[in-house]
Amino acid sequence: MSVITATAENFEQEVLRSDVPVLVDFWASWCGPCRMLSPVVEEIAAQADGFKVAKVNVDEESDLAEQYGILSIPCLIVFKDGKEARRSVGVIPADAVLSLVKNA
Amino acid sequence: MKDILIIGAGPAGLTAAIYALRSGKSVLLLEAKQYGGQIVNTPDIENYPGLAHVSGYEFAENLYQQAKSFGAELVFETAAAIEDRGDHKVVRTTLDHTYEGRAVILATGAKNRPMGLEREEELIGRGISYCATCDGMFFRKKDVAVFGGGNTALEDALFLSNYCNKVYLIHRRDQFRGSDADLKKLTGRENVEFVLNCNVTKLLGEPRLSAIEVTDKLTGEIRTIEVAGLFVAIGQIPDNAAFSNVAALDEKGYIASGEDCLTKTPGIFYAVVCRT
């Protein structure tokens, strides 16, 4: 499955009302570690089974970043049943990203 | 079996890979997090000979592509143990995979040193940051503090002073280890206040950081400073504990060796960054 580009417009539909957990990657193009984490998140999205993956560009979606209290990026949040279930800040290896989703 | 396993794909590990590959050796790099290591946090490298300006991300990407073009392989796994079997070595990762090589190069580097304060872990991403260039924009027009006195602390304070209302630079001494050039630039900034001979001793705020308590080392005086963000740059700690069976470590955890890149185990070498 490809990565969903989450925006203020589609966030409720794609993330909060999703039937399956959603891993959301809050990132920005000028953040080196974010660009390092991106391929990991994309690879996980390609093999995602039972969950979805979305990305929020905090430059373009500053309201979403504010709403979810993002103060450090990259920040991964797993949403389950419309609520934040897990959060992780910084670059983490692929297996840690997967266990974040599985333990949500 | 590879000729050389390299643990860590930061600048040292990738450089070792480039040289080894060009000598006709086969190489596998094991990297726990991101290739390029901590340099990706640096917005602008301006002291690398021959490259006047390059971003840390670009530098890391170029280094990786260069190593890859010579045939480097890389797996994103964390090396957890090394077993010395004489003519070859076995590296086991946290995923319980094993990799074999005729030689191993330790290029583990270091990770950010935590302050060791209560609630520090929980406030990371909620006001505490280790990366000013990543997170500075979230603190635009707000008051922040930088804790440290080395190059990273000075660079962070300079960077943040462009965006933030006020930057407190908190340092345990009154002399800085960081570059004079950056210190001069900082002293000219009106929105930077130096808080010297002080330690950060308490983190306040719920659920986000809203203030810090600093204690003057000389007088014992405690001062509360209201800040939305605290950027921690008090140095690095080495990441070698898992390999103490093959490489002697000093009391700080660095590989105890000279300039020769040798460890106590034949066939196991280190790259300079992670040694004493």
Side-chain angles (χ1 to χ4, degrees):
Chain A
M1 203 186 289
S2 60
V3 179
I4 300 158
T5 302
T7 63
E9 284 73 45
N10 70 6
F11 199 81
E12 178 153 1
Q13 185 62 35
E14 293 285 0
V15 179
L16 300 179
R17 289 196 195 166
S18 169
D19 297 333
V20 291
V22 189
L23 171 73
V24 184
D25 175 15
F26 290 83
W27 74 288
S29 58
W30 36 259
C31 156
C34 299
R35 290 169 72 176
M36 290 292 174
L37 184 63
S38 282
V40 175
V41 169
E42 273 150 31
E43 195 182 307
I44 282 169
Q47 301 164 12
D49 184 18
F51 65 94
K52 296 197 295 186
V53 178
K55 293 184 74 158
V56 172
N57 183 321
V58 297
D59 267 341
E60 291 159 11
E61 302 296 335
S62 53
D63 287 351
L64 278 179
E66 169 95 38
Q67 192 178 341
Y68 290 99
I70 306 295
L71 292 177
S72 286
I73 50 173
C75 180
L76 298 172
I77 301 183
V78 182
F79 288 88
K80 196 178 176 185
D81 301 325
K83 290 194 189 88
E84 174 177 335
R86 293 288 220 177
R87 180 182 288 229
S88 166
V89 171
V91 176
I92 54 173
D95 55 322
V97 178
L98 273 177
S99 68
L100 199 69
V101 181
K102 282 180 189 151
N103 296 325
Chain B
M1 168 111 55
K2 294 286 180 198
D3 290 323
I4 304 174
L5 301 176
I6 300 177
I7 300 177
L14 287 169
T15 304
I18 290 166
Y19 277 77
L21 288 156
R22 280 173 48 82
S23 306
K25 307 293 181 199
S26 60
V27 169
L28 175 74
L29 291 137
L30 292 109
E31 169 56 44
K33 281 188 169 178
Q34 62 198 13
Y35 55 77
Q38 300 190 52
I39 197 75
V40 303
N41 291 346
T42 304
D44 182 23
I45 304 166
E46 55 179 29
N47 58 357
Y48 194 85
L51 286 173
H53 289 281
V54 62
S55 76
Y57 169 76
E58 217 180 319
F59 181 74
E61 193 61 42
N62 287 344
L63 208 47
Y64 173 61
Q65 294 303 339
Q66 192 179 354
K68 216 167 105 177
S69 74
F70 291 121
E73 290 172 46
L74 182 143
V75 291
F76 285 104
E77 291 189 47
T78 307
I82 301 176
E83 192 191 326
D84 177 24
R85 293 193 186 161
D87 64 348
H88 73 287
K89 326 289 168 195
V90 181
V91 174
R92 185 174 294 277
T93 69
T94 50
L95 295 180
D96 217 19
H97 296 157
T98 55
Y99 297 93
E100 297 189 355
R102 291 184 180 87
V104 174
I105 298 176
L106 299 171
T108 45
K111 56 187 176 191
N112 293 315
R113 179 189 300 280
M115 295 176 289
L117 294 177
E118 219 175 298
R119 298 187 57 227
E120 180 173 354
E121 189 74 20
E122 131 197 9
L123 289 169
I124 291 173
R126 294 183 171 87
I128 290 182
S129 171
Y130 289 93
C131 180
T133 55
C134 307
D135 304 336
M137 71 155 272
F138 299 113
F139 300 92
R140 202 179 287 264
K141 294 182 183 158
K142 293 182 178 161
D143 292 356
V144 299
V146 174
F147 185 24
N151 280 324
T152 308
L154 299 184
E155 283 165 17
D156 284 359
L158 262 181
F159 180 83
L160 292 164
S161 69
N162 294 327
Y163 304 95
C164 299
N165 180 54
K166 174 138 194 180
V167 178
Y168 296 91
L169 180 57
I170 300 161
H171 182 36
R172 288 170 286 192
R173 286 184 275 277
D174 58 3
Q175 299 287 321
F176 286 89
R177 280 174 288 114
S179 85
D180 261 355
D182 283 343
L183 191 59
K184 279 199 186 104
K185 283 186 212 163
L186 266 180
T187 45
R189 300 270 165 113
E190 280 180 3
N191 62 341
V192 175
E193 180 181 329
F194 289 82
V195 182
L196 303 179
N197 292 313
C198 282
N199 263 320
V200 177
T201 43
K202 203 170 182 181
L203 306 168
L204 306 165
E206 180 73 46
R208 292 186 193 178
L209 184 79
S210 61
I212 53 173
E213 221 174 73
V214 299
T215 305
D216 190 305
K217 280 174 66 186
L218 306 176
T219 64
E221 189 190 333
I222 294 173
R223 173 181 173 192
T224 301
I225 304 176
E226 287 189 13
V227 287
L230 172 61
F231 292 82
V232 183
I234 51 171
Q236 317 286 324
I237 46 174
D239 218 357
N240 300 321
F243 315 122
S244 59
N245 61 320
V246 290
L249 306 181
D250 69 10
E251 71 282 359
K252 288 181 177 165
Y254 289 95
I255 293 169
S257 274
E259 298 284 339
D260 53 13
C261 298
L262 302 175
T263 67
K264 67 177 183 183
T265 310
I268 298 183
F269 306 88
Y270 65 85
V272 284
V273 287
C274 53
R275 74 156 173 93
T276 317

